[in-house]
Amino acid sequence: MNLQGKSFLKLLDFTPEEIQYLIDLAIKLKSEKKQGVPHRLCEGKNVALIFEKTSTRTRCAFEVAAADLGMHPVYLDPQGSQIGKKESIKDTARVLGGMFDGIEYRGYGQEIVEELAAFSGVPVWNGLTNEFHPTQILADFMTIKEIFGGIKGKKLVYMGDARYNMGNSLMVGAAKTGMHFVACAPKKYFPNAALVHDCLKIAKETGATLEFTEDVDKAVKGADVIYTDVWVSMGEPDGVWAERINDLTPYRVTAKVMEKAGGNCKFMHCLPSFHDLKTTVGKEIYDKFGIDCMEVTDEVFESDKSVVFLEAENRMHTIKAVMAATLAGASL
Ligand code: CP
Ligand code: NVA
């Protein structure tokens, strides 16, 4: 297994074995980190971290992982560079490719991160686009492996807006790793037909099952993991809130939903999450619509079924694995 020089843009570009290898490498690096064993596998390299949208986990994961690998990260914030406004992506790619050994990009269309990779000449890593969030899936599946001992055959139910980055990427990841994936939402929030088509083809080879249903009771029965995400993603207009609240409230993850799933079911969320009134947006929505939580209740979020902070920690270990594999060809 050697991924040196390769970009990490979407899970569709990787084989099931490569995905498994990245997860296992992350588990190894996590264990080394806990034991205080240094792993400065990319000593002296420099990486650029472009963020056209805000971030807590992804930015911190890249910065801490870069430091642990012996690298120097440079953060480019949503306002403070020429990117997109005065300089094209193609030009930016060639400028940054001349100075850095790798580039992370978080922003809008998937075509932007693909263009950066095509013209920079160095590995590019997708830190979230509208379509995909592949480093998040590595962390989620690492978490599933740590908790359940394996990934294949596990039933993961995604509730909510399944046609955006998280729903899409979880479906691709599940197809690649042989999971039982269920998108549970009103029909108009199902992943797009072309991506479903590709994933069904992959599923035939891996033994994965993909289901799409509006029926919550049917979806969650026997689930190992119930996963949700915000109802309105970064970059979407405020005008969509009313419709999303109306459409997706029946798909909120509540204690009753978790109970229906069965005893060992875990709750997962990429975060950040609107589960209480302790955020500015949460309060604004409460004032406007009178709801005190959105995609998940505070009860479920804070329960012992919730593994969201383990997922968050695993963002760092998996992002470190991606950089170590693609920059230094790290092996298990
Ligand atoms: N889950 C995730 O990507 O979080 P951030 O937006 O904080 O990076
Ligand atoms: N769907 C969310 C994911 C955040 C990690 C968004 O794009 O805002």
Side-chain angles (χ1 to χ4, degrees):
M1 188 70 61
N2 190 349
L3 299 181
Q4 194 161 14
K6 194 165 168 161
S7 288
F8 188 76
L9 306 177
K10 55 188 183 302
L11 293 174
L12 286 168
D13 301 338
F14 289 81
T15 65
E17 293 74 26
E18 287 169 339
I19 293 169
Q20 202 59 61
Y21 150 75
L22 287 169
I23 291 169
D24 290 341
L25 181 59
I27 291 172
K28 178 185 167 209
L29 293 168
K30 180 174 181 175
S31 155
E32 286 180 359
K33 171 110 180 169
K34 301 279 175 199
Q35 292 169 59
V37 177
H39 37 232
R40 297 175 73 83
L41 302 168
C42 306
E43 188 82 58
K45 294 192 191 290
N46 297 286
V47 290
L49 311 178
I50 304 171
F51 281 82
E52 295 206 271
K53 290 175 179 169
T54 51
S55 167
T56 298
R57 275 146 293 273
T58 310
R59 175 189 176 177
C60 294
F62 270 100
E63 292 216 23
V64 172
D68 285 358
L69 290 170
M71 297 196 284
H72 176 63
V74 174
Y75 173 68
L76 292 113
D77 74 22
Q79 274 88 40
S81 79
Q82 318 287 20
I83 299 170
K85 298 172 282 281
K86 286 173 66 182
E87 195 155 34
S88 70
I89 294 299
K90 189 172 172 180
D91 292 355
T92 304
R94 290 176 288 179
V95 170
L96 298 182
M99 293 186 203
F100 292 95
D101 299 286
I103 302 168
E104 179 276 355
Y105 173 83
R106 162 171 290 199
Y108 296 89
Q110 180 69 17
E111 70 283 357
I112 300 174
V113 79
E114 302 273 351
E115 194 176 6
L116 269 176
F119 293 102
S120 64
V122 297
V124 172
W125 311 296
N126 180 353
L128 178 147
T129 58
N130 295 343
E131 292 85 353
F132 295 115
H133 195 8
T135 62
Q136 178 71 49
I137 307 318
L138 290 183
D140 298 337
F141 287 11
M142 172 183 178
T143 308
I144 289 172
K145 189 163 186 179
E146 286 179 327
I147 292 170
F148 295 102
I151 301 165
K152 198 175 167 72
K154 295 284 168 288
K155 180 175 182 181
L156 185 150
V157 182
Y158 181 88
M159 314 242 313
D161 184 3
R163 66 195 170 162
Y164 218 73
N165 42 27
M166 283 310 305
N168 287 344
S169 307
L170 283 166
M171 177 174 68
V172 176
K176 290 269 181 184
T177 54
M179 292 180 98
H180 179 181
F181 172 82
V182 186
C184 181
K187 271 198 185 70
K188 68 176 174 196
Y189 296 94
F190 288 171
N192 85 61
L195 188 62
V196 170
H197 176 82
D198 291 347
C199 287
L200 285 171
K201 260 209 278 190
I202 298 165
K204 262 199 189 138
E205 284 167 28
T206 61
T209 323
L210 309 181
E211 264 187 82
F212 306 89
T213 179
E214 297 191 302
D215 182 338
V216 175
D217 288 3
K218 184 177 152 230
V220 302
K221 197 162 176 251
D224 295 295
V225 174
I226 294 180
Y227 201 115
T228 191
D229 181 19
V230 292
W231 289 343
V232 177
S233 286
M234 289 183 278
E236 293 199 282
D238 282 347
V240 301
W241 272 112
E243 187 190 12
R244 295 290 165 82
I245 289 169
N246 183 56
D247 291 346
L248 297 175
T249 296
Y251 298 87
R252 171 181 293 147
V253 183
T254 62
K256 221 167 161 190
V257 167
M258 293 303 294
E259 211 178 284
K260 276 182 194 149
N264 293 323
C265 183
K266 299 293 181 199
F267 171 72
M268 295 181 83
H269 191 311
C270 52
L271 306 182
S273 160
F274 296 119
H275 57 94
D276 59 20
L277 297 180
K278 292 178 185 148
T279 64
T280 315
V281 175
K283 274 192 220 119
E284 278 169 15
I285 296 297
Y286 175 75
D287 290 342
K288 226 169 149 191
F289 300 97
I291 54 170
D292 63 5
C293 66
M294 289 184 241
E295 70 276 6
V296 57
T297 62
D298 196 46
E299 185 185 8
V300 170
F301 187 91
E302 295 294 354
S303 73
D304 56 10
K305 291 177 181 296
S306 172
V307 295
V308 296
F309 297 109
L310 180 57
E311 277 178 273
E313 180 193 325
N314 286 342
R315 295 297 310 287
M316 199 284 283
H317 305 299
T318 42
I319 280 170
K320 188 187 285 177
V322 169
M323 291 197 289
T326 56
L327 291 179
S331 58
L332 287 175

